Amino acid sequence: VRERLDASLSAYCIILNGIEQDLPFLASIDSHIDLADEVIVTDGGSNDGTWEVLQKKYGSNPKVKLVSNPWDFGKPTMFGIQKTFSRRQCTGDWCWQFDCDEVVHEKDIPVIRGVIENNPAETMFTFGCITFFGAGDRMDIVGENPIKWRLSRNLPWIEHNVAEQFRKYTPEGLLYMDKRQSDACEYV
């Protein structure tokens, strides 16, 4: 009989000008509140009212930690730097990375939690996701992305995005990459 694990889960995302981009970031965050023990939302310096909306809705929610970390657009990839920064704010035993335009269906919450409970010796998992594009009365399914890393242990050596040969580090120790490479959503 397997002993039930009480592992904690942190979910984290980055956002910049979610209102201007018309992102469903509130629905995204709400769906992750149900999944995780804490949700870290790192704003990159929004100037369209996104930060104020986040503060108004989640400022008193003890499960949501709002963090401001302004983007440095001079860096080759702020996605990796911001995601790594956001991940480092997590206090859970496990981390779930999500984009601020993604939601988790409530039927998938026990499945995700079950992966943690049933695989105590593993470090990292991929989950398929279905990508939708469109608005209004038209929505296209682009397809499933079976290689998107989502769930991993909260270990200091797990960072975002950059294959070893392309790694660069800021003076603060944050990872970024050679700007000639793409910004993939991978852990290294």
Side-chain angles (χ1 to χ4, degrees):
V1 176
R2 180 173 292 237
E3 181 179 334
R4 177 164 173 78
L5 300 176
D6 291 321
S8 58
L9 177 62
S10 298
Y12 66 100
C13 71
I14 62 172
I15 188 165
L16 180 66
N17 293 328
I19 293 171
E20 180 181 293
Q21 296 183 65
D22 197 27
L23 298 173
F25 62 94
L26 297 177
S28 176
I29 294 166
D30 287 345
S31 76
H32 288 86
I33 288 172
D34 294 336
L35 169 67
D37 300 297
E38 71 173 353
V39 178
I40 311 298
V41 180
T42 301
D43 181 272
S46 294
N47 58 15
D48 66 345
T50 297
W51 179 250
E52 293 77 13
V53 168
L54 290 169
Q55 288 179 314
K56 182 176 180 182
K57 181 158 186 181
Y58 302 112
S60 62
N61 187 326
K63 286 185 76 172
V64 180
K65 180 179 178 183
L66 301 175
V67 182
S68 177
N69 189 47
W71 285 41
D72 178 351
F73 290 100
K75 299 284 190 245
T77 174
M78 279 310 299
F79 285 106
I81 291 172
Q82 286 294 88
K83 287 180 180 181
T84 297
F85 176 88
S86 192
R87 180 184 173 80
R88 289 184 178 169
Q89 310 310 304
C90 296
T91 63
D93 301 311
W94 289 83
C95 296
W96 174 269
Q97 187 276 322
F98 69 99
D99 294 337
C100 62
D101 61 350
E102 299 172 338
V103 295
V104 172
H105 193 280
E106 64 265 9
K107 291 181 180 179
D108 292 326
I109 291 172
V111 173
I112 295 165
R113 287 295 200 158
V115 168
I116 294 170
E117 184 175 326
N118 295 318
N119 298 281
E122 301 301 327
T123 301
M124 193 176 299
F125 297 93
T126 61
F127 284 78
C129 63
I130 299 173
T131 304
F132 297 92
F133 285 101
D137 62 353
R138 178 171 169 84
M139 189 69 68
D140 294 324
I141 299 175
V142 175
E144 186 173 339
N145 179 353
I147 60 168
K148 197 158 189 176
W149 293 106
R150 292 287 180 189
L151 180 64
S152 61
R153 288 194 180 277
N154 192 356
L155 299 169
W157 53 266
I158 298 176
E159 296 180 329
H160 279 274
N161 294 325
V162 186
E164 186 172 356
Q165 65 268 33
F166 304 115
R167 291 182 201 171
K168 308 271 185 200
Y169 289 89
T170 67
E172 300 82 27
L174 294 175
L175 177 69
Y176 71 99
M177 66 188 211
D178 183 313
K179 64 184 174 184
R180 294 169 295 185
Q181 303 307 310
S182 68
D183 182 26
C185 187
E186 300 173 336
Y187 294 98
V188 294

